[in-house]
Amino acid sequence: MRRPIDSLFGRLALLVVGVLFVSHFAWYALIRLERSNLQTRYAVEEAAFLVDAVRQHVQRTPDQPLPSRVRLVDPTSADVPPVNADLPVPLDRFVDDVRDRMPDSTQVRVGLPGKPPTLWVKSVNDPNWIVVPVQPLRPPRSLDRMVLWLTIIFSAGVMAALFAAWQLQQPLRSLAQAVARFGRGLPVPPVRERGPRELRQLTHGFNQMVQEVARTENDRAVMLAGVAHDLKTPLARLRLRAEMMEEPKMRDGVVRDVDSMTHIVDQFLVFAHDGADRSEPVEVDAQCERVVRSYRAVAPGSHGVQTDLTAGPGFRLPAATLDRILSNLLDNAHAYGAPPVVVATARSGEGYVLSISDHGSGIAAQDLINAARPFVRLDPARGGNGHSGLGLAIVERLVRRAGGTWEIGNHDGHGLRVLMTFPLEVVSRAASASESVW
């Protein structure tokens, strides 16, 4: 199961959203704290200003009445509030801040609760208590307009960041798809060089590598095809001369050797062929049945070939590709394996499966990795005359060119099995191409 968090875009999105959330939450908490501190500082400054104004008024114009909410109270009056012992933390901090703004030894008290908030101040030089109104210290509201603006800014930031992450992920995704195609042996068009400088350099290097590998493969294919083609004519003349020999034993030996050399040349030509198979797609089950029936008729000792075909008519592959796959694997099983050889098809959740297995000695585990390499013969267990070591390499190339994957290994502890899987979309595309031609 594919998880979105495993992709580059998913991880970038998670990182961006997390960073934006933490930063906006910290900014919101800081703003609320600063607003509370600002409110306290404003109330302290206002109270200190009123107290100084009252003192100046008393000194300069003692006969003029004071404002309605400002008054002077005699120290012996019963209205003087007691010393505040258990004040709330914000109010206690407010009283301390006001005391710091006043001269030394100034007494600062808060009016009795349940009445309009007042501040009582008396310094050493004040004959009376100075009572002034103060702004109520309201706690910050839990939700206000700032939350709405914060949500809008956060949403806009997340969308912009996700778009930037998507733009960064697209070149990497294209490069990853090209690398996957290159790994399956499929043709890879040049990848567009875009994105950051390092990504452009990586894409440029990949394009150069693909071109060099394609050039090398083309040179090797041309060389193999040229050599194989040039050998076919002298081999035909050699076979003709061999058949004209009078001694039967020598004639049969030379003809057998010429046939082996012709088979090797044919394998070279098939391996060197790098073009797309444009033959008509056929039903794999029906074609497998026909090929096995023909193989039983012409190959000596091939009565042990069995079929288990359950994929259904929807499994279709190009005819030439399927024939080459079956002929190479059946020849390989007949030469190196042991009966019964089973040709099986099935449909799985990932696509269609074609497998060919024998009941011989199989291949040693340490040799499985080299079994499909060109020109590799696993002697002495899997040697033989007339074989170039290209059979499995040809099958692997044909399977990959058809859009499938393959797996080679020993099944049930004995015998070799080649398991080929073709995704549903690949088979559907081949069938659609056939219908469009017709």
Side-chain angles (χ1 to χ4, degrees):
M1 180 177 179
R2 297 179 61 183
R3 296 182 299 173
I5 196 62
D6 283 341
S7 65
L8 176 63
F9 177 76
R11 297 195 177 190
L12 283 176
L14 181 62
L15 176 63
V16 167
V17 172
V19 170
L20 286 176
F21 178 78
V22 171
S23 62
H24 280 68
F25 179 79
W27 175 78
Y28 177 68
L30 181 62
I31 290 297
R32 287 176 63 88
L33 179 62
E34 286 298 321
R35 175 187 286 184
S36 177
N37 293 336
L38 182 63
Q39 182 185 25
T40 303
R41 288 197 298 269
Y42 178 79
V44 170
E45 293 297 330
E46 183 184 37
F49 173 77
L50 288 176
V51 171
D52 290 339
V54 170
R55 285 174 180 161
Q56 293 180 10
H57 177 82
V58 171
Q59 292 176 0
R60 297 177 181 177
T61 56
D63 298 333
Q64 296 294 328
L66 295 170
S68 58
R69 296 188 61 188
V70 177
R71 56 198 177 100
L72 300 175
V73 179
D74 187 85
T76 60
S77 172
D79 295 336
V80 177
V83 177
N84 308 111
D86 298 326
L87 293 175
V89 175
L91 193 57
D92 186 58
R93 186 167 58 248
F94 168 73
V95 171
D96 291 339
D97 291 342
V98 172
R99 188 178 294 113
D100 292 338
R101 291 281 283 107
M102 299 295 171
D104 295 338
S105 302
T106 298
Q107 300 182 59
V108 179
R109 299 180 187 178
V110 179
L112 297 175
K115 297 182 179 180
T118 56
L119 184 68
W120 295 62
V121 178
K122 183 179 182 303
S123 66
V124 177
N125 299 325
D126 293 331
N128 299 311
W129 283 93
I130 301 175
V131 183
V132 296
V134 295
Q135 293 288 344
L137 298 177
R138 301 185 182 91
R141 290 171 292 180
S142 58
L143 295 175
D144 52 14
R145 188 176 299 176
M146 186 172 63
V147 175
L148 175 62
W149 283 107
L150 182 65
T151 303
I152 295 175
I153 295 173
F154 177 77
S155 302
V158 167
M159 288 188 291
L162 292 181
F163 178 76
W166 181 80
Q167 289 285 350
L168 179 62
Q169 179 253 1
Q170 285 300 305
L172 280 175
R173 183 177 182 181
S174 300
L175 183 60
Q177 292 175 346
V179 170
R181 287 180 59 87
F182 182 73
R184 294 196 301 269
L186 301 176
V188 181
V191 183
R192 179 184 170 189
E193 299 177 12
R194 53 178 176 162
R197 182 179 66 253
E198 293 81 3
L199 186 55
R200 293 197 305 271
Q201 293 174 349
L202 178 62
T203 305
H204 180 73
F206 174 77
N207 289 333
Q208 284 187 329
M209 180 189 68
V210 171
Q211 293 176 0
E212 290 297 327
V213 171
R215 187 179 298 112
T216 303
E217 288 288 335
N218 184 64
D219 293 342
R220 184 176 65 170
V222 170
M223 180 189 68
L224 288 176
V227 171
H229 183 270
D230 293 341
L231 286 176
K232 290 183 73 69
T233 301
L235 283 175
R237 292 198 301 264
L238 186 60
R239 180 183 178 86
L240 179 61
R241 292 174 181 175
E243 291 179 349
M244 297 175 63
M245 291 182 177
E246 297 180 356
E247 187 177 348
K249 185 175 182 180
M250 181 176 294
R251 181 181 64 244
D252 293 342
V254 174
V255 170
R256 186 167 53 252
D257 291 341
V258 172
D259 289 340
S260 297
M261 295 174 65
T262 303
H263 178 72
I264 293 174
V265 169
D266 291 338
Q267 293 286 74
F268 279 2
L269 288 174
V270 172
F271 184 76
H273 176 69
D274 198 27
D277 188 355
R278 303 187 182 278
S279 59
E280 178 187 356
V282 295
E283 294 184 10
V284 174
D285 287 1
Q287 188 69 7
C288 287
E289 191 65 47
R290 285 192 292 269
V291 171
V292 169
R293 188 164 52 247
S294 301
Y295 194 81
R296 290 170 181 164
V298 300
S302 60
H303 57 278
V305 182
Q306 303 175 0
T307 58
D308 181 16
L309 309 174
T310 61
F315 188 14
R316 300 169 65 89
L317 288 176
T321 295
L322 182 58
D323 288 344
R324 289 171 182 170
I325 290 175
L326 292 175
S327 61
N328 276 280
L329 290 180
L330 287 175
D331 288 344
N332 188 78
H334 178 66
Y336 308 125
V341 178
V342 181
V343 179
T345 62
R347 178 169 178 173
S348 65
E350 300 179 355
Y352 293 99
V353 176
L354 169 63
S355 66
I356 297 180
S357 57
D358 62 61
H359 288 73
S361 58
I363 299 178
Q366 64 271 17
D367 293 332
L368 283 174
I369 192 172
N370 296 322
R373 294 182 60 185
F375 309 108
V376 172
R377 294 170 57 183
L378 305 177
D379 292 329
R382 302 183 72 86
N385 295 326
H387 296 274
S388 58
L390 285 176
L392 294 178
I394 291 174
V395 172
E396 180 185 20
R397 176 171 289 193
L398 292 173
V399 170
R400 290 185 174 181
R401 192 178 298 161
T405 59
W406 90 320
E407 179 183 352
I408 181 172
N410 300 317
H411 68 104
D412 298 333
H414 60 276
L416 184 69
R417 181 179 66 175
V418 178
L419 184 68
M420 296 155 282
T421 303
F422 300 88
L424 295 174
E425 59 271 14
V426 172
V427 177
S428 301
R429 188 162 57 247
S432 301
S434 174
E435 292 175 359
S436 63
V437 171
W438 290 96

